[in-house]
Structure formats: structure tokens, C-alpha cells
Amino acid sequence: NAGVTQTPKFRILKIGQSMTLQCTQDMNHNYMYWYRQDPGMGLKLIYYSVGAGITDKGEVPNGYNVSRSTTEDFPLRLELAAPSQTSVYFCASSPRQTQQGEQFFGPGTRLTVL
Amino acid sequence: ILNVEQSPQSLHVQEGDSTNFTCSFPSSNFYALHWYRWETAKSPEALFVMTLNGDEKKKGRISATLNTKEGYSYLYIKGSQPEDSATYLCAFYNAGNMLTFGGGTRLMVKP
């Protein structure tokens, strides 16, 4: 199993550009999550999904959108990139609700918005 | 927004020293406490998921305890090794499907 994979690894965007961060897991996990990690801060939840067709906002959803058309894929969309979205983005999945199931993280995408 | 605090923020120890750090979380509506180990340039990896008050878990030289009534968890590392150098994250779950992460404790073990 590849686990959780993310593409791209690095990206530089100009202000106002849009892009999609890809996340795929091959563990048949129902639960998937997007986090951002800023320097000196912990991980902040952007969006999460409890299964295909179901998504919900996390702590910091503004400026982002998600979709979950399949169990495997959970892309994160930035419509109008802003410098405040410069961060490292991690996708994660878990087989059960988080109080029971550990989360498995992807390698991260480092995004810079200039 | 829940407040999950970890202390200290960073810690330097010598190889062979034992060490511990703290995670504080709200004591109401507790469901679970997660610990993750995050090495530089890698992804966080789960160490423990703890759900019961008084729970104690162990993995090799690393162990953790949980006190849900007073809202804290300790992570212990016995005989630290350079490969233990990492950031240790705790995360608190009380409702919905969201983990709230602390800011982490960055451990550096000098050979």
C-alpha cells in the first residue's frame, strides 16, 4: 500500500491564482482530513470528510473548497490564492472515527503564495 | 475553539537522559487523546490513542499516561537517543470528527 499520497510536493503561486492540491489514499479509509501547518503553530483542520459525498468545515475553512466523489480522493481547492495561505498542507485519513482511529498523514505539500 | 497546550515548546537533552513533556486539554466532554511523533521533513506518525482515565500506554522506550479528570497527559521517553529527536504532538478529541492539535514539543537529543 502506498498509504496517503499528495501532489504536488511544492508549489509557488501568484496572488489570485487558483490550484488544486491532490490527496489519495489506498487504505479504503472512510475519514479524510486536510490540515495546514504554519511555523510555530500546530496543525489546523481546514476541511474533513466522513465518506464519499460528505464534507464538512473544520477550524479554518475560509478560502478553500473540497469535494469527495470517491473514497480514495479528497482534493483541496484554493480559488483565489492569498499570501496568508502560504503554508504546508497535510492530508490525512483514518479508518474509524477519530476518537478511536489514529490518523495516517501524507507527505505534505509546501505552498508559497507571492 | 478548544485550547490544547503543550509544554515545554522545546527541549534539549543529552543522549541517555530520560525526559517527559505535558499536554493539557479541556477536561469536559473528553473522548480521546492522541500522541503523534513528527520528524523533520516527514509526516506525523501516531504513537498512542488514549481513551480511558488512568490509561497508560507503552511503545519501546516511550510511554504515556492520561488523566481526563484534570485534563492532562504526560509523554515519557526513557534513555533518549538521537533518533528520538522530533516534534511530539498531542491532539484532543471531544465531539464531531475533529482533532484539535497542540503546538507540539520539539525534542533535540544530543549525542
Side-chain angles (χ1 to χ4, degrees):
Chain A
N1 285 350
V4 180
T5 57
Q6 291 181 237
T7 56
K9 289 186 179 179
F10 305 95
R11 184 74 186 268
I12 298 175
L13 284 181
K14 293 182 180 179
I15 294 172
Q17 285 185 317
S18 61
M19 77 164 293
T20 299
L21 283 67
Q22 301 292 344
C23 175
T24 299
Q25 53 92 8
D26 62 359
M27 298 174 283
N28 202 32
H29 288 173
N30 285 332
Y31 295 83
M32 295 187 76
Y33 313 85
W34 273 107
Y35 294 93
R36 58 178 287 172
Q37 191 253 337
D38 300 320
M41 308 286 285
L43 294 166
K44 301 287 186 186
L45 183 66
I46 305 170
Y47 270 95
Y48 66 96
S49 169
V50 302
I54 307 170
T55 62
D56 211 341
K57 295 177 180 179
E59 189 180 347
V60 290
N62 292 344
Y64 307 94
N65 277 301
V66 293
S67 59
R68 184 93 183 273
S69 56
T70 66
T71 298
E72 295 77 21
D73 300 307
F74 190 40
L76 178 72
R77 178 92 178 150
L78 283 71
E79 292 293 349
L80 290 169
S84 60
Q85 293 178 304
T86 294
S87 188
V88 182
Y89 292 84
F90 288 94
C91 178
S93 70
S94 68
R96 293 172 286 180
Q97 283 186 287
T98 52
Q99 70 265 35
Q100 297 169 350
E102 64 187 78
Q103 294 192 5
F104 295 81
F105 285 82
T109 294
R110 184 176 293 275
L111 176 67
T112 302
V113 182
L114 301 173
Chain B
I1 296 176
L2 302 171
N3 201 20
V4 180
E5 295 186 354
Q6 292 187 246
S7 62
Q9 281 190 324
S10 64
L11 191 56
H12 293 251
V13 301
Q14 287 293 137
E15 182 176 355
D17 287 350
S18 293
T19 187
N20 65 85
F21 5 104
T22 306
C23 173
S24 301
F25 53 86
S27 55
S28 59
N29 299 319
F30 176 87
Y31 275 73
L33 193 284
H34 292 210
W35 279 101
Y36 290 83
R37 181 171 179 272
W38 192 358
E39 289 182 73
T40 302
K42 294 188 177 180
S43 314
E45 291 184 349
L47 286 171
F48 307 114
V49 175
M50 308 176 80
T51 57
L52 299 174
N53 183 43
D55 211 0
E56 183 169 342
K57 299 217 170 183
K58 188 175 181 181
K59 185 182 287 188
R61 293 179 290 98
I62 304 176
S63 61
T65 60
L66 179 67
N67 183 323
T68 61
K69 295 188 186 304
E70 296 182 38
Y72 65 84
S73 175
Y74 293 137
L75 189 79
Y76 300 90
I77 301 179
K78 185 178 178 182
S80 302
Q81 299 297 310
E83 58 265 30
D84 296 328
S85 298
T87 296
Y88 292 84
L89 295 172
C90 71
F92 170 72
Y93 177 88
N94 76 335
N97 291 293
M98 295 190 284
L99 279 178
T100 300
F101 282 83
T105 292
R106 187 179 176 205
L107 174 67
M108 285 154 281
V109 183
K110 298 176 187 177

